[in-house]
Every structure is written in structure tokens, then in C-alpha cells.
Amino acid sequence: MTHPRRPVPGRSGVLARRTVVATVPFALAALLGAAAPASATTTGPSGVGDPYFPLAGNGGYHVAHYGLTLRYDPASRHLDGSAVLTARATRKLTRFDLDFKGLKVTALTVDHVKAAFRRDGQELVITPRKALRKGEEFRVAVTYAGTPQQVTDPDGSADGWITTDDGAFVAGEPQGAMTWFPADNHPKDKASYDFTITVPRGSGAVANGVLLGQRTAHGQTTYRWHQAEPMAAYLATATVGTFQVQQYRTSDGIQVYDAVDPREATAAAPVLKKLPSVLEWESKLFGPYPFRSAGSIVDHAPDVGYALETQGRPLYDSAPDLSTLVHENAHQWFGDSVSLTSWQDIWLNEGFATYTEWLYTEQHGGKTAQQKFDALYARKASDGLWAFPPGDPGSGADIFGTPVYARGAMTLHELRKAVGDTTFLRILRAWATDHRYGHGTTSQFVRLAEEKSGKNLDALFHAWLYSDGKPATS
Ligand code: TRP
Ligand code: ZN
């Protein structure tokens, strides 16, 4: 994954960057879990305190469930939507935000009562008629319409509802979910989802989870999808297009749904056929596959330039190669089931998925992980691979940079060498098991690795994750 990144001049290390957060009092309060300033005790902060994406997510509540009802017309690019969020207040709330960009809001209620709202950039600021009590469960219903507009990420790539010639490629990492539904748009807050998507007959609409039903009437087809396991908003999809569909169950009882753009079908077929064996191999390494649904959405979206590990069913911009299929499905454990609490920790997703590719190749008669490591390590000190340390990309513009993927994977290889194969695999499996459906941080991973190995690994992780330049290897 090579994306244009801006250079990072005068990097000054992790501590200097952390102080940036201190200039954002609300963000800092959320980050430290500290009491918010008095003026903010009843208004939910506009972000969860992520230094890379300060407005992402919101404070003051958690969402348990999203019920999304969408109608999309590819010809006119018009979307009609309704989102019903079931949430719980974590403090008294006179006001709270959702993340929502573009699209016109036509009606909004909190607990079935009309609520006042205004738009402020990506924040949908909601003032319920009656303040919400701390601990209270509440329901927000938002009705909206318009033509969704993709967002441009800090690294220049597109994200969100991305229009294609026959529908839309819908991918939300890191921020695009807010282009098609109002959300608590940060991986810290995971929820279950139901999707009801109506498109013209002949079009497919593929979301996450299992297909509950599909019905055609009056020239429109409605697809109902259910995602039972907790999911971060960025992993939601509602991809629309012309698709060839295949459904089957694996021997483990996982429901597979493949949707393939006919233009990609010939190239995709031999790779998609391997999905059951890839999932079986990954399950042996990392523990049981976390979701009841699996599969692939292979779109024809030549301008996108990346694939995304949409939960339970990765989304590809074209027919994937086997390594990409292995990578996106490795994310089902690392990223989807075990989620980030901060985008700075993105190597926990990308380094792990990349290292899974290396392990797959090694165990299927190809290059060893050591050979992959050596080839990368041979790169000159001036190479982009060493431009910044993977545990501290420094800004949202670099979260998908080469160091995150490649040096992130090299970090795991160094760990493997330090603790031995058996302990290494035990650590990966414990990580996936202990944090299943939850969250994990880099320091928790380091602690786990030290516990399982009985070794002090601070120097190793410090060198590989947080130090500028090319680290020494053992
Ligand atoms: N997480 C994706 C992967 O590596 C990559 C990705 C998603 C991406 N969104 C992006 C890369 C935006 C660049 C820009 O599997
Ligand atoms: Zn990835």
C-alpha cells in the first residue's frame, strides 16, 4: 500500500507530540478519562480526544445499535436515509454531537420527541427537549437526504461514499462513515447494526453481517443485513453495484456471501475460492473466526486504490490477489474484532495484517518471513520505510504509510526472534482472544508479550515502534 505522504521534517519524538494534545482541553480530558471542565459537564465533547482526528467520535454517550434504512438511486446519486441510534448517556447531557457531513437533515427526534439541532462542520449538534440523565438509554432518529460526498483524507485518498459507474464503493476508514450516516465516528465506540437498503432492481446492495432477506417489488429490491457482533463505524459498508452473488457455508458454519462486479469476475474467481482455506488457516493461528459472516465484495472502482477490511466481508476495489485476501481477512481478528482506541496505534492493525501475509507465504512454500524482513532491512537509511516510527506516525496523514505496514510487520518479526516461534504464536492468539470484540492498545500488547515470554521487551519495542531512523537488528 503506497500512498503519497507528505514528508515529516523535524520530528521530535513521541513526548513532544503528546504535548500537542494538552492544548485541546476537552480532548485531553477525554483521553485521560478525567472530569471535564465545569462548562462541559452537560454538553458532550465534539470528539473522543483522538489527537490525529480531534473531531472524530463524540463524548458523553455510547451507541449500542444503529438501525440504518437507506434508499439509493445510482442514476441520480440520490440517497434517502434514516438512522435510528440506541445509545446510553455516560454523563448528564443537555447537548451532544453526532458526526455527520453533507446530506440534509429533514427530521430529528430524541426519544420520539422533536429535538433542536444545528450543523457545525462535521458535527451534528443536538439539543434534546429534556436533558438526558447519566446512565439513561436514549434513542435518536435522524432522517436525511441528498447526494453523499466522499471526504478526502489527510493523505489525499478518498473515503466514505465513493461513487462508481454503477453505484457506490462505500468504505469509511478512517473518517468516511459520516458521509452516509450520523455516527459516533471513532473505533472506540462499537455497536451492532441493522441495514435495510433499497436499490433499483438489478442492482445489489451489500452491507455487513448476514443477509436476513431480499425482496423485489415495484422495480426496487430491498436487502436486509444484520451485523450482530460489535463493529466500529469505519468498518460499515453499504456498497451498491451490479454484482454476481455466490452464497455458501464453510465447514465451520460461517455464512459466506461473495458479491463480484462481472468485470472483475474472471480475475477474482481463483482467489475467492481460497477464502475458506485462508480463514481456516487464520483460525488455527489466531483462534476461531470472530464473526458469523464472511465473504468478499469485489467492486470495479479503479480510482480508489485500496481495499478495506469491512467487517465480516472485506471490500476490494478490484479483483484481489491472494496476499490481499489474506491481509484483509487477518484484519477480521486484528482491527475488526480487536479494535483501536487511538488512530496512533494503527500499526496494531496494519503491522499485524502484513505479518499475517508473511506467515502465509512462509507456510505455503514461499519466501520466509526472515527473507521478507532481510529484503526490507537492506533498504538504505534514506528510504521512506525509515521515515518515521510505526508506533508514532505523527499525524493522520501518515497512518497508512509504508512504515506502519512494513516496519510494523518487522516489529513483530523482531518479537518472534526474541521470544521464539511457539511463544510468539501464543502471544498473537492471546491478543486476539483476550481482546475479542473489544479494544487493545500498544502498551497492552507490549505487556502481554512480556507476560507470555517472561522477558523485558521494552528496548525492542521502543526501538522498532518509537525511535526515529533505522533500528539495529538482533
Ligand atoms: N486498511 C486498509 C488496508 O490496509 C487500507 C486503507 C483503508 C487505506 N483506507 C485507506 C489506505 C485510505 C489509504 C487510504 O487493508
Ligand atoms: Zn490493512
Side-chain angles (χ1 to χ4, degrees), residues 1 3 153 155 157-159 171-174 234 305-309 327-328 331 346 350 353 400 405:
M1 201 71 43
H3 283 264
D153 295 330
D155 70 356
S157 36
D159 163 23
E173 190 183 25
Y234 81 89
Y306 61 82
L308 181 65
E309 60 269 25
H327 178 109
E328 302 309 335
H331 277 308
I346 183 74
E350 303 306 345
F400 300 117
Y405 286 74

Side-chain angles (χ1 to χ4, degrees), residues 285-321:
L285 286 181
F286 310 138
Y289 179 74
F291 308 117
R292 62 193 87 164
S293 63
S296 309
I297 308 170
V298 182
D299 206 346
H300 179 75
D303 297 334
V304 170
Y306 61 82
L308 181 65
E309 60 269 25
T310 40
Q311 188 157 308
R313 186 171 297 109
L315 172 61
Y316 306 93
D317 62 344
S318 61
D321 58 21

Side-chain angles (χ1 to χ4, degrees), residues 69-73 78-82 103 106 143-146 196:
T69 305
L70 309 171
R71 178 184 291 269
Y72 188 63
D73 179 39
H78 184 84
L79 176 72
D80 280 305
S82 126
L103 300 175
T106 55
T143 310
Y144 53 95
T196 303

Side-chain angles (χ1 to χ4, degrees), residues 169-184:
F169 176 99
V170 182
E173 190 183 25
Q175 359 173 40
M178 63 186 172
T179 67
W180 59 284
F181 67 99
D184 190 18

Side-chain angles (χ1 to χ4, degrees), residues 365-385:
K367 286 203 172 101
T368 61
Q370 183 65 47
Q371 287 169 323
K372 293 260 173 75
F373 178 97
D374 290 342
L376 287 165
Y377 196 75
R379 292 195 193 175
K380 296 195 294 283
S382 60
D383 191 273
L385 172 60

